[in-house]
């Protein structure tokens, strides 16, 4: 872990990344890709040392309140967060100034800040997004080795359900020949139905691979799935998009179940929901608190 001052924090779409790099160890992580020009080892997490100061400055300058998102490139609940509490301090600012929050994670550490999500949602909107890829706990420990497994993430979804905070599941990636089975999909969908999730995001059943990400992924395939790398190379070459051969059938099941249970599944609809700010009547008081 190392520290670096940032020039700004919020993107044009009001997203933020408090960290660069990750310690969760997911074997398929696109954020390892060379195109992101990370100048340090991926596990040597870069901490934006002035993130809390920048966030307060940028929130105070905004003329309109909005949703603040995080988790797209780097999980805000990395192991370092338990000590640094940067995410918690940012949530306190988001709450104080009356903004909304849309947070994506694989970690049950998010429960530490449950009361802040409740406070934000009481005034505006808080949405918790959780990634689920495989129901098999043994396989999950291989694919996502240093973060809580799917069953614990299912418990997290249920806790937020019981607190009336909306949730969205990222059902991605699904790895060809590894977790692209109908059984796996139906088990994850059952979790989503029980948790009463608002939406499920998928961009087709498969994975994307590019320089930096591909090499790490293939090393892990050699380590855990002997012969699988060769199968990928034979089937896909160096393609960026690596769709599962089961994609048509899985997509059909996915859409049928979402429609049946009233779950949003179109990406554009879900992203619109995540960006839509809701004012429940007391935001202006909080903005100038």
């Amino acid at each position: 872990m190392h520290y670096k001052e940032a020039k700004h924090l919020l993107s044009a779409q009001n997203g933020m990344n408090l960290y660069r790099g990750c310690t969760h160890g997911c074997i398929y992580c696109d954020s390892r890709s060379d195109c992101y020009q990370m100048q340090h080892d991926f596990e040597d997490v870069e901490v934006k040392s002035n993130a809390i100061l920048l966030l307060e400055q940028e929130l105070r300058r905004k003329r309109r309140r909005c949703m603040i998102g995080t988790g797209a490139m780097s999980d805000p609940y990395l192991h370092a967060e338990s000590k640094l509490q940067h995410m918690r301090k940012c949530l306190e600012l988001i709450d104080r100034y009356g903004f909304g929050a849309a947070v994506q994670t694989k970690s049950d550490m998010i429960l530490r800040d449950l009361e802040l999500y409740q406070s934000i949602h009481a005034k505006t909107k808080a949405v918790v997004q959780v990634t689920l890829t495989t129901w098999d706990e043994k396989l999950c420990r291989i694919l996502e080795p240093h973060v809580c497994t799917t069953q614990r993430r299912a418990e997290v979804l249920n806790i937020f359900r019981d607190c009336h905070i909306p949730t969205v599941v990222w059902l991605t990636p699904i790895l060809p020949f590894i977790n692209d089975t109908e059984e796996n999909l139906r088990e994850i969908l059952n979790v989503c139905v029980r948790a009463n999730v608002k939406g499920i995001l998928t961009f087709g059943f498969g994975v994307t691979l590019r320089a930096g990400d591909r090499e790490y992924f293939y090393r892990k395939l050699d380590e855990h799935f002997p012969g699988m790398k060769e199968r990928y190379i034979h089937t896909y070459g160096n393609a960026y998009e690596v769709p599962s051969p089961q994609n048509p059938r899985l997509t059909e099941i996915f859409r049928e179940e979402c429609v049946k249970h009233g779950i949003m599944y179109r990406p554009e609809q879900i992203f619109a929901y995540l960006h839509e700010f809701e004012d429940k009547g007391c935001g202006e008081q909080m903005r100038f608190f």
Side-chain angles (χ1 to χ4, degrees):
M1 183 175 68
H2 64 282
Y3 295 84
K4 184 177 180 179
E5 283 201 357
K7 294 180 179 179
H8 59 83
L9 187 65
L10 294 179
S11 70
Q13 297 298 316
N14 299 305
M16 65 180 185
N17 285 297
L18 304 177
Y19 306 109
R20 289 198 76 196
C22 188
T23 50
H24 287 166
C26 304
I27 73 170
Y28 50 72
C29 183
D30 176 72
S31 294
R32 292 182 181 273
S33 299
D34 294 345
C35 63
Y36 298 118
Q37 301 179 326
M38 200 169 293
Q39 302 300 313
H40 54 86
D41 290 340
F42 192 68
E43 286 77 14
D44 179 19
V45 174
E46 181 178 286
V47 180
K48 296 181 181 179
S49 57
N50 57 337
I52 293 94
L53 175 63
L54 286 176
L55 179 61
E56 182 160 24
Q57 291 173 346
E58 293 177 29
L59 292 181
R60 289 177 67 90
R61 285 199 298 264
K62 285 193 175 294
R63 300 182 65 180
R64 292 184 178 179
R65 287 170 292 130
C66 59
M67 297 293 290
I68 305 297
T70 189
M73 284 294 296
S74 182
D75 197 311
Y77 288 102
L78 301 181
H79 300 88
E81 171 63 19
S82 63
K83 176 183 177 181
L84 298 176
Q85 298 196 32
H86 278 197
M87 184 60 195
R88 182 173 181 85
K89 294 170 185 175
C90 286
L91 286 172
E92 289 171 345
L93 289 173
I94 290 168
D95 185 34
R96 183 187 309 164
Y97 287 96
F99 285 74
V103 177
Q104 182 183 353
T105 187
K106 288 188 179 84
S107 175
D108 58 352
M109 196 190 304
I110 194 172
L111 294 174
R112 178 200 66 186
D113 300 329
L114 178 59
E115 82 282 1
L116 283 168
Y117 290 104
Q118 290 175 303
S119 180
I120 292 167
H121 194 63
K123 295 187 289 292
T124 60
K125 184 171 75 179
V127 186
V128 170
Q129 305 162 73
V130 175
T131 300
L132 303 179
T133 61
T134 179
W135 178 248
D136 184 310
E137 292 288 276
K138 183 178 179 180
L139 180 58
C140 187
R141 290 186 179 95
I142 294 172
L143 302 184
E144 301 152 351
H146 304 310
V147 69
C148 67
T149 58
T150 299
Q151 289 187 22
R152 177 56 174 162
R153 287 177 235 168
E155 293 173 359
V156 169
L157 288 168
N158 291 337
I159 290 169
F160 279 100
R161 174 203 63 200
D162 294 343
C163 293
H164 308 290
I165 293 173
T167 56
V168 167
V169 162
W170 287 67
L171 180 54
T172 182
I174 299 297
L175 307 178
F177 319 124
I178 295 176
N179 63 336
D180 60 339
T181 66
E182 180 175 336
E183 178 186 14
N184 182 55
L185 174 59
R186 290 193 182 278
E187 290 287 1
I188 292 175
L189 290 174
N190 286 339
V191 169
C192 295
V193 170
R194 287 194 293 269
N196 193 29
V197 303
K198 187 80 174 179
I200 306 174
L201 264 169
T202 186
F203 306 96
F205 294 91
V207 66
T208 57
L209 297 174
R210 49 187 162 189
D213 170 22
R214 181 184 291 108
E215 290 79 3
Y216 184 84
F217 179 64
Y218 280 172
R219 287 201 301 272
K220 291 301 177 179
L221 289 187
D222 281 341
E223 181 179 343
H224 297 289
F225 307 96
M228 186 63 74
K229 177 182 73 175
E230 289 72 21
R231 188 174 184 183
Y232 268 69
I233 293 171
H234 175 75
T235 306
Y236 303 107
N238 286 322
Y240 168 62
E241 294 185 355
V242 181
S244 165
Q246 308 303 320
N247 182 59
R249 175 59 180 153
L250 296 179
T251 299
E252 180 183 11
I253 294 168
F254 170 70
R255 290 176 177 171
E256 286 177 353
E257 290 301 305
C258 287
V259 170
K260 177 181 176 181
H261 296 284
I263 298 172
M264 290 191 294
Y265 67 92
R266 298 185 185 280
E268 63 273 16
Q269 184 183 16
I270 296 173
F271 284 126
Y273 173 74
L274 292 173
H275 285 94
E276 181 185 13
F277 179 77
E278 297 178 12
D279 190 343
K280 296 179 180 175
C282 55
E284 286 304 313
Q285 281 182 304
M286 296 304 297
R287 182 178 173 86
F288 298 106
F289 179 74

